[in-house]
Amino acid sequence: MIVAHLDLDAFFAAVEELEDPTLRTKPLIVGGDPHGRGVVATANYEARKFGIHSAMSCAEALRRCPHAVFVRPRHSVYRDYSRSVWDTVRGIVPTVERTGLDEGYLDVGKVASDFLQARTIAEAVQTAVRAGTRLTCSLGVSTSKVVSKIASDLRKPGGIVVVPPKTEAAFLAEFDVRKLPGVGPKAEARLRAAGVQTIGAIAALSDTELKRLLPGSVGRVLRDRACGIDHRELELSTERISISVENTFERDVTDRAKLYDELRWMAARVAGHLRESRRTARTVTTKLRYTDFSIRSRSTSLRIGIDDEGEIAELACGLLDRALSDRPGALRLVGVGVSGLSDHRQLAFPALSENASGHPSNGGSPAAATGVDSRAGRATRKLRS
DNA sequence: TCTGGGGTCCTTTATCGG
DNA sequence: TCTGCCGATAAAGGACCC
């Protein structure tokens, strides 16, 4: 397997610079309101000189660089640029897994037979993307997804890093644990507490140490990855399995009527997405974030999929009530999500339509839904190697 | 004064019927 | 009749990613 990871450089910021060239020489931050609760989505390289990076609060970014230019993200514009980038890429490497607007994996093995050719392909992709969209990207090329992913980040912006076969483990060994995809803040803290600072040190962990530090299947997967073992293929199917909308308030909210209003508005948006994609949902989830940042969710499942905003709103508000009676308090965020999606036209199937009246035919316990596996038919996307 | 929004996947816990 | 166990599923929470 020869796989490349492609990552567009400071994508949102780069697009904004193309749309308004006067921004090119200024520190630019794409993100939320610097006077509110927003965070940085992307900063251009000029802004990064001030120590500004993704996920930092905009207020902090403003403090670090008071003359920075702040712009709100314009996702529809980025989607258009992204589409044209990936069209260009597919012109050279047809088999592609997009993992975000600005990154994805390329099955270079389909068009190159060795790593020398692979580098040439990567250069061709880079050149074509620049010519077609005026955007720059970085690529990593290796025998696996993990290694390519880490490699693509190494010589940003505009770099290409090729990791030849058999050198993967040595390549990974010196990187900080946090560079390994799958190691987040929690795993990082546990590893560091045990003196594990590098990916190489994860690779060298004994079975007992591993079980203690990273319990469950996660540990084994991460150690394999740390060794450069990663047999994941490209995932070509892109079916969504949930749809959600959430919002953080400018100021924390306790007023129930205001929360209901917000949920109704969100339910309408979710329902709109559902109908657009001609799908229905069996499960509705309400999400709450309290002032201490802890998250609670309550969900309920129906026997029949729905796409009506009124029904979704009613369920979402009921779930909010349940959550708030379990744990009262001011909220900084609420959200509405749906899952258990299926194609709209399934509603017309005779076997299901007899139940479509909405009246439970018997006892009506939630377990009556047991006959249907909400997870049946969902895209199986595994971490397992 | 901190810390968005939209996702996915995994694990643990509650519940239910046999 | 009471109790415990088992397996399945739904719900909830947690971690992670861009």
Side-chain angles (χ1 to χ4, degrees), chain A residues 5-6 22 224 246 275 278 282 289:
Chain A
H5 183 257
L6 179 149
T22 67
D224 280 352
E246 60 189 57
R275 288 192 296 260
R278 302 185 59 77
R282 278 189 55 241
R289 178 171 250 146

Side-chain angles (χ1 to χ4, degrees), chain A residues 26 36 50 54 66 72-73 94-95 111 126 136 144-145 148 159 192 207 217 236-237 264 282 285 287 296 308 317 337:
Chain A
K26 302 172 183 164
F50 295 86
S54 299
R72 294 308 183 82
T95 310
V111 289
Q126 218 175 34
T136 69
S144 72
K145 283 183 169 182
S148 294
R192 292 216 196 282
D207 284 351
S217 58
L236 280 356
S237 95
R264 277 193 281 267
R282 278 189 55 241
T285 302
K287 171 177 167 181
R296 288 294 142 90
D308 178 74
C317 290

Side-chain angles (χ1 to χ4, degrees), chain A residues 216-276:
Chain A
S217 58
V218 185
R220 289 189 303 274
V221 171
L222 287 181
R223 187 178 59 185
D224 280 352
R225 303 260 170 91
C227 299
I229 300 168
D230 176 9
H231 300 302
R232 286 174 301 166
E233 297 289 326
L234 269 61
E235 293 275 354
L236 280 356
S237 95
T238 56
E239 220 173 55
R240 261 238 272 288
I241 65 179
S242 71
I243 295 170
S244 65
V245 172
E246 60 189 57
N247 183 43
T248 297
F249 300 114
E250 284 299 316
R251 296 171 53 208
D252 301 334
V253 174
T254 47
D255 178 21
R256 194 68 63 102
K258 183 166 183 202
L259 296 171
Y260 288 155
D261 277 350
E262 188 73 15
L263 290 179
R264 277 193 281 267
W265 180 79
M266 291 174 167
R269 289 197 55 189
V270 167
H273 286 309
L274 276 173
R275 288 192 296 260
E276 245 170 62

Side-chain angles (χ1 to χ4, degrees), chain A residues 303-368:
Chain A
R303 286 175 307 140
I304 307 288
I306 57 174
D307 65 0
D308 178 74
E309 61 184 75
E311 283 179 81
I312 296 171
E314 194 173 331
L315 291 165
C317 290
L319 292 165
L320 174 83
D321 290 337
R322 257 179 61 200
L324 282 175
S325 67
D326 291 346
R327 203 275 224 196
L331 302 180
R332 65 175 288 135
L333 167 149
V334 291
V336 175
V338 294
S339 52
L341 306 183
S342 33
D343 283 348
H344 204 284
R345 53 182 171 283
Q346 284 192 1
L347 278 180
F349 284 179
L352 290 174
S353 62
E354 73 188 39
N355 285 331
S357 66
H359 299 297
S361 53
N362 57 18
S365 89

Side-chain angles (χ1 to χ4, degrees), chain A residues 45-60:
Chain A
Y45 287 88
E46 196 55 38
R48 291 183 195 193
K49 290 179 187 166
F50 295 86
I52 292 163
H53 55 81
S54 299
M56 170 183 283
S57 88
C58 288
E60 173 65 21

